[in-house]
Amino acid sequence: MLRVGMAQVTPRLGDLEQNLKKHLEMIHAARKQGASVVVFPELGLTGYALRDLTLSVAMRVDDPRVMRLIEESVNIDLVFSFIEESDDHRFYITSIYASKGQALHRHRKLYPPTYGLFEEQRHVARGEDLSSFQTSSGATGLLICEDAWHPSTLYTLSLTGTGVIYVIAAGPGRALNGASDSSSQQFWQRMIRTHAQLFTTFIVFVNRTGFEDGLHFFGHSFVAGPDGEILFEVKDAKEGLHFADLDETQLRSVRYRSPFLRDEDPERALQRMKQALRAGRANG
Amino acid sequence: MNTNLHAHMEQTLVRLRESVRATAPILVDFLRDEVEKTGFHDVVFGLSGGIDSALVAYLAVEAFGAERVHPVIMPYRLSSAASLRDAQAITSDLGLKADLVEITPQIDAYFSRDPSASLLRRGNKMARERMSILFDHAAVYRALVLGTSNKTELLLGYGTQFGDLGSAVNALGDLYKSQVRALAEQLGVPAAILHKAPSADLWEEQTDEKELGFTYDEADVLLHHWVDRWLTRAEIEALGFAPELVEGVMRRVRLNHYKRVPPVIAKLSSRTIGIDFLYPRDWGM
């Protein structure tokens, strides 16, 4: 059984110290509740609408504040996120999976959206690599917000049999749809459930809360099971720490019943994609 | 109006109105969050007796409680008695203590040197006078000024720059007039206010729709299609809207865009305010 702490927080924009403090408090509370892992949303350490603040909040992975959190993972796994600065001074929206006092995996956001209300690639670079990593619950994946809108990311993770994917988000709501949940929340939930079902994996979606420059981050974090059903759902857009218990043995029966991963033929799929790419280019 | 257009308008307005059903709690949280993170606790706004400021009053009381909400009623001698009565109905319904500041002395003193001033000049002057009073009251109460301009007015530019368009936080700016009305009804704004003809009340017998030359319902549907649904002019005209109406509305939106952005600055340095000095408004809050 994997007990996931979902830290649905409201970061203070640009205030690293305050946000680090909140992370430590939530980790402490999650530990008390027996969580195996606690997951923070996208840019939980910095806030989202940073624009030129990106330069002043960026940290290297060996920054003492990042290290402070990594060290905290001695007896509880952590997923947290910040603006990472590389040795050659590129800036990334990064998330780290820390375990046993080490940074087990680092994911740099692959698809920083730059359209409509989003302007991420004005300030940050695209990540390039995507791989799963082994945790106590087997092959695990990490995606950041817009990454999940590109099915190739989930497909890639599925090739290593990934059974748990953490999708951390700073998802702004578009509230005008008349329902008690925002339309963004509805389309996120629809999309994540479909991914979970198609790739027969648990997906833990942790979204932030609060307002920045008029953007309303809609919270409503949830977990979808490998059959696409909602296993747990936060029903509000308020800051809070929530817990969901994932029974990993569910993967066994679901993958037997719905053997999409077994029957997928990635080599041929890759060939077909290459052909389609060539044809697409030829069609202009 | 042809029957098809009429049916289409009705349908769209129903959808617009229904879309705000779950919006009030978000706006209440928005007000609390955007005000309190600045370090302020109180709010001030102009209460005219119209539907927009009425809705702001109901949202603000829910967000802050009546003691932290400071409406200011600022009639001119030609303002209608009904406006004052409606404003007072709101304050008594919500248990608000309003300040009453007549603007007649300063407006009349100013225009006594130019008695031929147009209604437009007078109206703009009054709007800016009220803005100036609100910001002064903001200093008195250590409060932020709440805006009361809705999306229809903002798009049409039907407001006075640095007058009623001036505020620190605006909860109504993404709601069309018909949505303001639906939300106001939902929050219990008195019926007399819901159903009267919208008016800037800058001179006698003025109504918004008379002055604009089209109805808010027409503007809302047209703007919704154009702004939110990205329909082209041809597609909007194909719905049955008269080309002159479409042109009239689009022209207003275009010509008044300057009112919705900060003043344009000549770029000279490598980092220019408003161009590439890019910080969130919530910077440092």
Side-chain angles (χ1 to χ4, degrees), chain B:
Chain B
M1 195 183 294
N2 69 46
T3 345
N4 283 347
L5 178 60
H6 185 74
H8 172 82
M9 290 250 312
E10 281 308 305
Q11 213 177 22
T12 309
L13 287 165
V14 166
R15 214 172 48 231
L16 281 176
R17 285 194 289 265
E18 282 180 353
S19 72
V20 300
R21 262 200 308 232
T23 311
I26 292 172
L27 293 178
V28 167
D29 285 347
F30 162 80
L31 283 173
R32 205 182 291 126
D33 190 287
E34 289 291 356
V35 169
E36 290 181 355
K37 76 176 152 205
T38 65
F40 285 89
H41 298 283
D42 289 39
V43 293
V44 43
F45 61 97
L47 186 68
S48 66
I51 193 164
D52 300 298
S53 59
L55 176 55
V56 168
Y58 281 76
L59 289 169
V61 168
E62 205 163 321
F64 306 105
E67 358 19 278
R68 290 162 61 192
V69 175
H70 310 285
V72 187
I73 304 174
M74 297 169 283
Y76 178 64
R77 62 180 163 80
L78 297 179
S79 301
S80 82
S83 298
L84 186 61
R85 207 175 49 230
D86 291 338
Q88 281 159 347
I90 294 162
T91 55
S92 76
D93 188 33
L94 291 172
L96 286 167
K97 204 172 138 292
D99 288 311
L100 183 69
V101 183
E102 291 258 6
I103 61 168
T104 309
Q106 57 265 53
I107 297 296
D108 285 355
Y110 179 77
F111 285 111
S112 65
R113 54 197 283 280
D114 189 3
S116 64
S118 66
L119 287 175
L120 181 71
R121 279 181 58 198
R122 288 169 189 272
N124 281 334
K125 175 74 180 150
M126 286 181 229
R128 293 189 182 112
E129 184 59 35
R130 291 183 173 118
M131 178 277 297
S132 146
I133 291 167
L134 286 178
F135 277 85
D136 180 54
H137 276 67
V140 173
Y141 292 114
R142 298 185 43 75
L144 286 187
V145 175
L146 298 185
T148 58
S149 301
N150 62 56
K151 188 172 185 173
T152 313
E153 289 172 337
L154 288 173
L155 285 168
L156 295 173
Y158 193 65
T160 300
Q161 195 183 25
F162 312 121
D164 52 309
L165 297 181
S167 70
V169 176
N170 181 356
L172 307 192
D174 208 15
L175 296 171
Y176 290 109
K177 189 76 178 184
S178 47
Q179 294 174 312
V180 166
R181 214 174 274 135
L183 203 52
E185 187 169 6
Q186 186 190 320
L187 294 191
V189 170
I193 297 168
L194 295 175
H195 301 301
K196 70 181 176 185
S199 167
D201 203 15
L202 295 173
W203 53 83
E204 285 170 294
E205 302 299 314
Q206 181 193 26
T207 73
D208 295 0
E209 293 177 335
K210 234 191 273 178
E211 205 188 354
L212 286 165
F214 44 79
T215 66
Y216 273 121
D217 283 352
E218 287 171 316
D220 283 1
V221 173
L222 207 158
L223 289 169
H224 171 61
H225 286 322
W226 187 36
V227 173
D228 307 302
R229 301 189 59 226
W230 297 76
L231 261 56
T232 62
R233 177 190 297 234
E235 286 165 333
I236 293 170
E237 286 176 11
L239 293 169
F241 284 101
E244 316 79 72
L245 174 66
V246 179
E247 169 55 22
V249 167
M250 287 184 170
R251 191 163 175 277
R252 281 201 74 111
V253 175
R254 223 164 41 233
L255 292 184
N256 286 313
H257 189 60
Y258 75 94
K259 293 185 183 177
R260 295 184 290 267
V261 295
V264 63
I265 289 177
K267 182 165 178 62
L268 301 171
S269 72
S270 64
R271 223 168 161 214
T272 309
I273 296 158
I275 297 175
D276 45 19
F277 180 71
L278 299 173
Y279 288 94
R281 184 189 185 278
D282 291 355
W283 184 17
M285 288 176 182

Side-chain angles (χ1 to χ4, degrees), chain A residues 6 8 185 219-222 232-238 242:
Chain A
M6 304 160 81
Q8 184 172 286
Q185 177 195 335
H220 283 84
S221 303
F222 64 90
F232 174 80
E233 193 180 4
V234 181
K235 293 202 189 291
D236 60 44
K238 293 185 174 65
H242 304 269

Side-chain angles (χ1 to χ4, degrees), chain A residues 100-140:
Chain A
K100 301 188 173 58
Q102 304 287 325
L104 185 61
H105 183 77
R106 177 191 64 195
H107 175 70
R108 292 168 166 170
K109 192 174 190 177
L110 299 167
Y111 296 99
T114 309
Y115 59 83
L117 67 98
F118 304 107
E119 48 181 40
E120 295 180 19
Q121 280 189 67
R122 205 179 161 126
H123 306 282
V124 300
R126 287 170 76 127
E128 288 174 356
D129 303 321
L130 176 64
S131 58
S132 64
F133 49 97
Q134 289 295 323
T135 68
S136 57
S137 43
T140 302

